[in-house]
């Protein structure tokens, strides 16, 4: 990941409140394009601009982009495309203001991904999907991901940021350790005679990914808990590329960005897919979404009026621009950042860590409502997310948020605390 230069980090709430108070800082223009070449017909996309949301301090808009790369069939990808966003948004209380809403998104992503997986598995369909979900609100970008599709960002300043994680067992040692610690096994296919072939896979099941939505037939060590990263762009903007592994198996981030330099998003997406297919052939569904986040075009400035008579005395001191030497520390905190601010990043598969929150329960989670599936519970039915947890940050089992019995069983199964259900062998991608 590109490293940030030396600069003072500004809290998210300060940045957002300053934006609302300063008319010169406007929401960006967002332009997107997509392209794909299909091998199996299991890639699906979600593109939603200008979604409106009523909130405690007015109405705001946000944009949503999703890429769902299915395997072992398309049912999981289609179901996730149709239900994931709704489940994420339902996990955020409607009364939050804008900065609270954005701060709540990482935890809502976790709840929404897990609920979508839980609901789909109840349908007993044996397919799975990787997911990369991007929500853009103003200059803030929130990305939730499971699997091996990826999202990268190139800022206007020229730095490259990786906004998603690769959950392939071959390249993710932490995920290999998590699976073996929960009781699963990681290894390659046995070709007989002691020879091993192919990528590392999780057994039972044989999936080479450690996280996905669906895949009920390959055991519960394959979890739907997403890696989440949240950043805030400077008002100079940037370009996002969301692509399935068909692109990233052929091109590096730098190659993908360089091959479409200066192109509009639609042409850029098509060029990236073309370059990937030319490099490796059409071995898999190859899909790309390109999103440009741009400062709004400004009208030409009005004519400069004739000089006015100088204001003297106290008024002159009030309205003249302060020199850098005279600026207070408070003034310097409000300087617009000229780099990407990294606001949040967490990839743990432990729900007790991921659903914990700095906000009071009344703001983030309803006291008698499951934090994952949003079902209403009686006071004696809720189970604290911290019950039985070894998470050292918070060990009081009477603290919320709370889960219903069904979601608690899901949590325990993902953490290897109870036997999974029946499993069937699979050699899915």
């Amino acid at each position: 990941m590109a490293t940030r230069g030396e600069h003072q980090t500004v809290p998210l709430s300060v940045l957002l409140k300053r934006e609302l108070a300063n008319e010169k800082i406007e929401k960006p223009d967002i332009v997107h394009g997509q392209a794909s070449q299909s091998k199996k017909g299991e890639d699906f996309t979600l593109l939603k601009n200008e979604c409106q949301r009523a909130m405690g301090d007015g109405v705001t808009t946000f944009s949503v982009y999703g890429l769902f790369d299915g395997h072992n069939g398309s049912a999981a990808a289609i179901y996730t495309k149709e239900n994931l966003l709704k489940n994420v948004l339902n996990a955020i209380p409607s009364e939050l203001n804008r900065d609270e809403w954005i701060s709540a998104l990482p935890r809502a992503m976790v709840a929404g991904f897990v609920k979508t997986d839980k609901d789909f598995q109840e349908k007993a369909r044996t397919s799975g999907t990787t997911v990369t979900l991007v929500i853009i609100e103003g200059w803030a970008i929130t990305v939730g991901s499971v699997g091996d599709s990826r999202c990268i960002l190139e800022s206007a300043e020229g730095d490259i940021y990786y906004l998603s994680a690769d959950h392939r067992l071959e390249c993710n040692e932490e995920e290999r350790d998590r699976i073996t610690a929960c009781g699963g096994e990681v290894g390659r296919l046995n070709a007989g005679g002691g020879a091993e072939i192919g990528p590392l896979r999780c057994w039972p099941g044989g999936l080479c990914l450690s996280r996905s939505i669906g895949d009920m037939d390959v055991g519960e060590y394959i979890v739907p808990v997403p890696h989440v990263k949240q950043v805030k762009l400077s008002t100079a903007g940037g370009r996002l590329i969301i692509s399935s592994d068909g692109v990233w198996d052929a091109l590096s981030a730098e190659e993908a960005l360089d091959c479409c330099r200066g192109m509009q998003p639609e042409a850029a997406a098509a060029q990236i897919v073309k370059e990937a297919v030319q490099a490796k052939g059409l071995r898999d569904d190859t899909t790309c979404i390109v999103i440009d986040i741009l400062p709004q075009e400004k009208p030409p400035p009005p004519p400069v009026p004739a000089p006015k008579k100088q204001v003297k005395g106290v008024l002159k001191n009030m309205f003249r621009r302060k020199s850098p030497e005279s600026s207070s520390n408070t003034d310097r905190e409000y300087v617009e950042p000229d780099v990407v601010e990294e606001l949040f990043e967490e990839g743990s598969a432990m729900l007790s860590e991921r659903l914990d929150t700095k906000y009071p329960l009344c703001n983030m989670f309803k006291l008698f409502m499951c934090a994952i599936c949003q079902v209403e519970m009686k006071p004696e039915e809720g189970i604290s997310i911290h019950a039985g947890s070894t998470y050292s940050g918070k060990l009081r089992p009477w603290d919320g948020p709370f889960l219903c019995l069904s979601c608690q069983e899901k949590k325990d199964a993902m953490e290897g605390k109870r036997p999974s259900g029946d499993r069937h062998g699979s050699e899915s991608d």
Side-chain angles (χ1 to χ4, degrees), residues 204-397:
L207 194 69
C208 61
L209 304 173
S210 63
R211 303 197 195 188
S212 67
I213 286 181
D215 289 314
M216 66 171 294
D217 56 331
V218 297
E220 302 213 30
Y221 304 126
I222 310 302
V223 301
V225 181
H227 172 274
V228 180
K229 187 170 180 67
Q230 191 175 67
V231 300
K232 183 181 184 299
L233 292 176
S234 76
T235 52
R239 167 168 280 187
L240 286 172
I241 297 177
I242 310 167
S243 294
S244 59
D245 61 329
V247 167
W248 304 121
D249 286 344
L251 304 177
S252 67
E254 292 81 0
E255 289 169 338
L257 288 162
D258 287 343
C259 78
C260 62
R261 188 78 62 195
M263 296 182 179
Q264 293 297 312
E266 193 76 34
Q271 183 64 28
I272 291 170
V273 170
K274 178 181 176 182
E275 293 280 339
V277 172
Q278 285 181 342
K280 291 284 189 178
L282 188 59
R283 300 180 179 181
D284 193 5
D285 294 340
T286 304
T287 303
C288 179
I289 305 169
V290 175
I291 306 154
D292 284 348
I293 304 169
L294 307 167
Q296 290 189 13
E297 292 186 9
K298 301 291 192 300
V304 179
K308 294 184 178 180
K309 187 176 181 180
Q310 287 188 346
V311 181
K312 296 182 179 179
V314 175
L315 289 178
K316 180 178 180 181
N317 289 332
M318 287 174 62
F319 290 103
R320 73 183 181 184
R321 185 172 182 174
K322 293 182 181 180
S323 66
E325 292 77 14
S326 66
S327 297
S328 67
N329 290 335
T330 302
D331 292 332
R332 282 197 291 269
E333 286 182 359
Y334 283 77
V335 173
E336 173 65 21
D338 58 359
V339 293
V340 171
E341 293 284 342
E342 298 183 19
L343 303 174
F344 179 92
E345 181 170 17
E346 181 58 72
S348 170
M350 303 293 290
L351 290 183
S352 56
E353 297 178 34
R354 302 301 300 281
L355 295 180
D356 196 10
T357 173
K358 295 178 182 178
Y359 284 101
L361 286 179
C362 59
N363 287 342
M364 267 300 297
F365 298 105
K366 304 252 184 226
L367 191 57
F368 302 123
M369 184 173 288
C370 177
I372 291 177
C373 70
Q374 309 301 306
V375 66
E376 292 187 5
M377 303 179 292
K378 295 179 181 179
E380 68 273 10
E381 291 177 342
I383 304 170
S384 170
I385 196 74
H386 306 288
S389 173
T390 58
Y391 175 40
S392 60
K394 192 173 185 181
L395 293 176
R396 299 183 298 177

Side-chain angles (χ1 to χ4, degrees), residues 10 66 82 106 115 121 133 158 184 197 202 208 223 225 333 353 395:
V10 183
E82 294 175 347
K115 174 174 170 53
Q121 290 201 8
L133 183 70
I197 60 172
C202 174
C208 61
V223 301
V225 181
E333 286 182 359
E353 297 178 34
L395 293 176

